[in-house]
């Protein structure tokens, strides 16, 4: 199972305050542990919402909303993409993350193609496999 670990933004991350050297060092060690265990697939931090935009869809209309965004509790500061045997295993990894006070992490399971078995056609399955192969070959 794949899980996305969402690192929620804080007032500091939204203000563009970079993590300390010590936190970066601890994060590097934690990432190394997950990589060596075969758990970590990807992970990165995100710039503050002031450097981003949102696109709101309403029928055929598209409205672009420039950051920053007001509700910090709804914003993300980073993510990990991990592979674990269960939600419980994902939780155990997240509990070891070197986060400081006030940080909140959210764990969400990622849909796999077999989750769509009821509506998945051979054409859609082939398209998904082709797209994944192309993404891998480009990176």
């Amino acid at each position: 199972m794949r899980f996305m670990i969402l690192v929620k933004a804080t007032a500091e991350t939204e203000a563009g305050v970079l993590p300390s050297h010590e936190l970066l060092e601890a994060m590097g060690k934690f990432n190394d542990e997950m990589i060596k265990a075969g758990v970590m697939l990807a992970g990165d931090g995100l710039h503050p919402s002031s450097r981003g935009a949102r696109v709101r869809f309403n029928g055929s209309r598209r409205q672009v909303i420039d950051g920053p965004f007001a509700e910090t509790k709804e914003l993300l500061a980073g993510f990990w993409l991990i592979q674990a045997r269960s939600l419980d295993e994902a939780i155990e990894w997240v509990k070891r993350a070197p986060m400081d006070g006030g940080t909140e992490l959210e764990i969400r399971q990622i849909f796999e193609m077999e989750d769509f078995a009821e509506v998945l056609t051979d054409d859609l399955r082939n398209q998904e496999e082709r797209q994944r192969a192309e993404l891998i070959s480009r990176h």
Side-chain angles (χ1 to χ4, degrees), residues 6 10 16 48 52 62 72 75 90 101 107 111 113 122 124 133:
L6 306 168
T10 64
R62 307 297 188 256
T72 302
L75 301 176
I107 305 168
F111 277 108
M113 289 307 288
D122 286 341
L124 290 172

Side-chain angles (χ1 to χ4, degrees), residues 32-78:
D32 279 342
E33 288 179 44
M34 289 198 299
I35 291 167
K36 288 176 184 165
V39 173
M40 186 170 165
L41 302 174
D44 278 303
L46 303 173
H47 282 274
S49 68
S50 60
R51 297 184 65 181
R54 289 180 175 169
V55 179
R56 182 171 291 143
F57 295 79
N58 187 4
S60 62
R61 290 185 359 170
R62 307 297 188 256
Q63 178 186 9
V64 177
I65 304 144
D66 293 324
F69 309 118
E71 291 295 323
T72 302
K73 66 183 179 190
E74 296 175 5
L75 301 176
L76 299 176

Side-chain angles (χ1 to χ4, degrees), residues 58-127:
N58 187 4
S60 62
R61 290 185 359 170
R62 307 297 188 256
Q63 178 186 9
V64 177
I65 304 144
D66 293 324
F69 309 118
E71 291 295 323
T72 302
K73 66 183 179 190
E74 296 175 5
L75 301 176
L76 299 176
F79 72 94
W80 281 285
L81 181 61
I82 68 168
Q83 188 158 344
R85 290 182 293 277
S86 65
L87 176 60
D88 288 339
E89 182 184 2
I91 290 169
E92 288 307 311
W93 276 106
V94 167
K95 286 166 57 176
R96 295 171 55 191
M99 295 292 161
D100 51 13
T103 302
E104 182 176 307
L105 304 180
E106 181 178 330
I107 305 168
R108 303 281 300 274
Q109 187 174 349
I110 296 172
F111 277 108
E112 303 293 348
M113 289 307 288
E114 53 269 10
D115 294 325
F116 300 101
E118 293 178 16
V119 296
L120 193 61
T121 63
D122 286 341
D123 287 343
L124 290 172
R125 184 181 309 279
N126 291 336
Q127 178 185 41

